[in-house]
Amino acid sequence: MGKRFSYGMVGGGPGALIGEIHRRGISMTERADLVAGCFSRNEEKNRSAAQELQIAEDRVYGDYKEMAAAESARADGIDFVCIVTANATHYEIAKEFLMHGIHVACDKPLCFTSAQAQELADIAKEKGLMFAVTYTYSACDATILARELVRKGEIGEVMNVNATYFQGWMLDVMYGTEEKSDIPVWRTQPSQSGISNCVGDIGSHIENTVYRITGLHPARVVAVLDKYGQPLDTNANILVEYANGVHGVYSSSQVFTGERCDLEVSVFGTEGTLEWTWREADRLSVTKRGQGTRHYFAPHAGDPDAADTKHARAFANIYAPFMDAIEKTQSGVITDLAAADFPTVVDGTAGVKFIEAVVRSDAAHAAWEEV
Ligand SMILES: NC(=O)c1ccc[n+]([C@@H]2O[C@H](COP(=O)([O-])OP(=O)(O)OC[C@H]3O[C@@H](n4cnc5c(N)ncnc54)[C@H](O)[C@@H]3O)[C@@H](O)[C@H]2O)c1
């Protein structure tokens, strides 16, 4: 695989949280150049981002629709678009680029409803376009290794899953503190975030990370959500049952003072247990029955710079196979998005269905809900 790609970005303007980290992740692959963008709806911010990113004047767009039309009409138009806007606009932007024949990478949660998600998946399939959904944590070197080990039977049959994702920034929003979090507060608003804040924003990472490691999506859920007076959930306790009858507990919270961002996953199997935490993202621990614990360290473990760039490295682990898959489409080989080695629109659709089931279960006073 050696093609050099060009890509465009929607979102990721000055002060945005995740767009810059996508750009760093993509540049780590050394395979793609950012050549076009609509980085903000604010014209001044859009221009200033474009200037800093050295985008040619004629490829800075005031509107994503104009960008999709113009780029698809150019002989040297972008190969793919990276969508890093707030959740509310993912569906319309992704659909626009797909309709113009452009491959898509979009951040999570994929969109607001499972009907929208399914529509995006169907369009991508029908047009033979690749569609990545950038679930960071399932693409760390150590979680990719965890997936391989589970597939090889290293921990036997999965018997139980326990996964948590904790942050503390909502307490700043609720009670006010001098040191404000850098996490944008649009997440608290249904118009921007969708039907869920905490589960949509971070519980969805749990769902995908556990799925990519174990191959298990929840089939049924029981959920209790806490809003603490906010418009959307800020704390979630969820019991899940997979199709094979195995259970798991997913817990996510934004009221854990002192925790900025930590995802932890433990998978208990008949032959052993597998443990991983974002805090030490380069380490995977496997304890086999009767054999003690073995720690696997990813290549960057121990490098202090790597700790700063771990989000970007995970994105690189998504964008590299995504670009391989795009390159294959150019020779007529279409990767099945349900079985790709990067998280796709199919994962994103499962994620939205999970969010919907959790919200339904909570509304029904913790009734079991099918996903
Ligand atoms: N994968 C991860 O680990 C991860 C981490 C953080 C955020 N996210 C996701 O990334 C997305 C963005 O989150 P964020 O925290 O960076 O948000 P943000 O508010 O910091 O950034 C959004 C950017 O998009 C721009 N924008 C919004 N609508 C636009 C439009 N129509 N056209 C052009 N630009 C537009 C805004 O001006 C801003 O620059 C969200 O969906 C979020 O859930 C994912």
Side-chain angles (χ1 to χ4, degrees):
M1 299 285 165
K3 178 181 153 61
R4 188 91 196 168
F5 290 86
S6 58
Y7 77 100
M9 180 170 271
V10 182
L17 180 65
I18 207 68
E20 167 61 16
I21 307 177
H22 278 260
R23 294 191 286 266
R24 281 164 59 195
I26 295 169
S27 65
M28 278 178 182
T29 68
E30 298 182 352
R31 289 189 64 189
D33 303 304
L34 177 62
V35 298
C38 171
F39 303 98
S40 171
R41 276 179 291 209
N42 174 300
E43 195 185 333
E44 203 179 310
K45 286 186 174 177
N46 188 27
R47 292 269 154 210
S48 121
Q51 200 171 17
E52 198 176 317
L53 294 163
Q54 298 179 314
I55 308 295
E57 279 278 311
D58 63 334
R59 298 183 88 171
V60 186
Y61 303 95
D63 172 275
Y64 71 85
K65 287 190 178 173
E66 188 197 328
M67 175 171 161
E71 287 296 322
S72 66
R74 292 178 70 111
D76 64 348
I78 54 171
D79 297 292
F80 67 92
V81 66
C82 168
I83 302 170
V84 282
T85 56
N87 310 350
T89 47
H90 292 176
Y91 163 74
E92 60 189 59
I93 299 173
K95 187 172 170 184
E96 190 73 19
F97 281 89
L98 290 175
M99 296 312 280
H100 281 88
I102 294 171
H103 303 279
V104 171
C106 180
D107 220 315
K108 43 50 65 181
L110 175 58
C111 52
F112 274 11
T113 71
S114 50
Q116 292 174 338
Q118 193 57 54
E119 187 188 346
L120 294 176
D122 290 345
I123 299 171
K125 190 170 181 181
E126 190 189 307
K127 291 186 170 282
L129 293 168
M130 294 297 105
F131 195 137
V133 176
T134 50
Y135 286 107
T136 325
Y137 307 94
S138 56
C140 296
D141 292 335
T143 53
I144 292 170
L145 175 64
R147 174 183 170 91
E148 282 168 27
L149 293 181
V150 170
R151 283 181 169 185
K152 279 189 197 150
E154 189 74 6
I155 61 164
E157 296 296 319
V158 174
M159 302 173 79
N160 186 56
V161 176
N162 188 287
T164 58
Y165 191 150
F166 296 137
Q167 299 180 328
W169 65 277
M170 271 302 292
L171 287 162
D172 294 344
V173 176
M174 288 156 69
Y175 300 111
T177 9
E178 231 169 87
E179 284 284 307
K180 285 273 185 286
S181 158
D182 59 348
I183 297 180
V185 297
W186 57 253
R187 285 164 171 75
T188 64
Q189 299 307 316
S191 64
Q192 292 304 300
S193 218
I195 57 172
S196 167
N197 167 18
C198 183
V199 177
D201 200 37
I202 55 178
S204 59
H205 277 301
I206 295 181
E207 196 282 322
N208 189 256
T209 308
V210 171
Y211 165 66
R212 299 295 299 180
I213 292 175
T214 64
L216 298 171
H217 280 304
R220 285 168 282 286
V221 295
V222 166
V224 178
L225 306 179
D226 300 297
K227 294 184 178 171
Y228 308 120
Q230 295 296 308
L232 294 171
D233 54 300
T234 62
N235 192 68
N237 288 299
I238 306 166
L239 176 62
V240 310
E241 184 174 279
Y242 307 104
N244 60 5
V246 168
H247 292 108
V249 171
Y250 298 176
S251 177
S252 54
S253 183
Q254 296 157 322
V255 294
F256 188 131
T257 296
E259 194 56 80
R260 190 184 176 278
C261 170
D262 192 36
L263 172 57
E264 286 193 27
V265 178
S266 304
V267 184
F268 315 162
T270 50
E271 299 297 323
T273 292
L274 184 150
E275 293 167 272
W276 175 81
T277 165
W278 175 245
R279 242 188 245 122
E280 292 180 83
D282 288 321
R283 188 181 74 175
L284 177 70
S285 302
V286 180
T287 307
K288 300 263 284 182
R289 252 185 323 114
Q291 291 180 27
T293 303
R294 185 177 298 165
H295 302 289
Y296 295 84
F297 292 96
H300 304 276
D303 174 353
D305 293 337
D308 284 346
T309 56
K310 57 188 181 176
H311 262 106
R313 282 192 291 116
F315 284 141
N317 283 342
I318 296 173
Y319 282 105
F322 170 63
M323 286 188 261
D324 287 345
I326 294 175
E327 189 166 0
K328 283 189 194 155
T329 66
Q330 288 155 359
S331 46
V333 180
I334 306 297
T335 300
D336 176 2
L337 289 173
D341 52 0
F342 57 93
T344 71
V345 67
V346 178
D347 298 57
T349 305
V352 177
K353 285 183 178 164
F354 168 72
I355 297 163
E356 288 176 337
V358 163
V359 171
R360 281 199 312 273
S361 171
D362 175 65
H365 306 289
W368 278 105
E369 281 288 328
E370 302 292 315
V371 177

